[in-house]
Amino acid sequence: MRWPATIPAARAAQDALRGRVDLTDACPAPATVTGLDVAYDPAGTRIAAAAVTLALDDLRVVEERVVTGEVTFPYEPGLFAFRELPPLLDAVAGLTHPPEVFACDGHGLAHPRRFGLACHLGVLTGIPAFGVGKTRLVGTHAEPGPEPGDTAPLLDGGEQLGAVVRTRPGVKPVYVSAGHLISLDHACRLTLALTPRYRLPETTRAADHLCRAALAGR
């Protein structure tokens, strides 16, 4: 596809694609989850994008792929997908095992324009996708309970955009939102299945490690 080269064109593309988001749950019992993440070099001019597929039963690595390249879109809050999706899609294209569901290091509906990276990825690929963000982009919430699995709704003007999920006791929660072809409840269940030891999903941790190693030349 041709990617927008300007900020106004990117916003127009978001508006055009946003109506295609479908939150019908289309991955009732996935055996694998493919995690996506990117990293930038210190100058912010190069990017590494990784796709790592883990088996859901024991979190072993089934397959991984990483690509590196030049950053081709300006830094603009709310439009990170236009910097990150081109190399991420290249990484996904190199996988030999078809992804069943994507876990993105970022957001889906919990985005100021209701079209975060997980929505964009899901709409373009037709594969279920959800986001697990480290920080909040939009909305307000109460503090979830202290135990793993405790949640609180992430709200904006009375609309629920996602869930604030405690994955480990005594650590900050994460921000889970549906992206495409998955329900919020299912996204939360998968997030908890992917966080048996740490705050962030094992998919995100594995993809982050692969990105950083690629940029370091390891």
Side-chain angles (χ1 to χ4, degrees):
M1 64 171 290
R2 293 183 61 185
W3 289 91
T6 66
I7 290 171
R11 287 180 177 150
Q14 277 188 336
D15 290 340
L17 292 171
R18 184 169 54 232
R20 301 185 189 180
V21 170
D22 182 356
L23 299 185
T24 303
D25 202 311
C27 57
T32 63
V33 179
T34 299
L36 303 176
D37 198 10
V38 302
Y40 297 88
D41 72 349
T45 59
R46 288 188 59 78
I47 187 172
V52 180
T53 299
L54 302 186
L56 198 52
D57 58 354
D58 59 5
L59 301 182
R60 72 186 184 281
V61 175
V62 174
E63 189 178 9
E64 58 186 27
R65 177 78 172 173
V66 63
V67 300
T68 59
E70 300 297 320
V71 175
T72 60
F73 191 83
Y75 179 95
E76 178 68 17
L79 298 178
F80 286 170
F82 295 92
R83 293 163 62 91
E84 299 179 356
L85 268 180
L88 283 171
L89 288 171
D90 286 344
V92 168
L95 297 173
T96 59
H97 294 79
E100 297 180 73
V101 55
F102 291 118
C104 300
D105 179 37
H107 300 277
L109 290 181
H111 179 273
R113 298 170 67 84
R114 307 301 190 262
F115 197 70
L117 187 143
C119 296
H120 205 149
L121 175 70
V123 167
L124 291 183
T125 63
I127 296 171
F130 66 99
V132 183
K134 304 179 188 73
T135 58
R136 175 178 54 86
L137 276 184
V138 66
T140 60
H141 62 89
E143 188 71 8
E147 297 303 319
D150 287 341
T151 67
L154 178 64
L155 302 171
D156 187 35
E159 178 186 5
Q160 184 169 2
L161 303 182
V164 188
V165 180
R166 188 85 64 189
T167 56
R168 307 301 305 149
V171 301
K172 293 180 181 179
V174 296
Y175 296 84
V176 179
S177 56
H180 186 59
L181 297 177
I182 190 170
S183 68
L184 176 58
D185 285 347
H186 197 172
C188 290
R189 291 198 303 272
L190 288 176
T191 298
L192 291 169
L194 292 167
T195 51
R197 294 181 296 274
Y198 300 100
R199 174 189 179 225
L200 296 179
E202 290 298 312
T203 41
T204 298
R205 289 167 45 80
D208 176 74
H209 176 78
L210 195 60
C211 289
R212 296 183 186 282
L215 286 176
R218 298 196 298 271

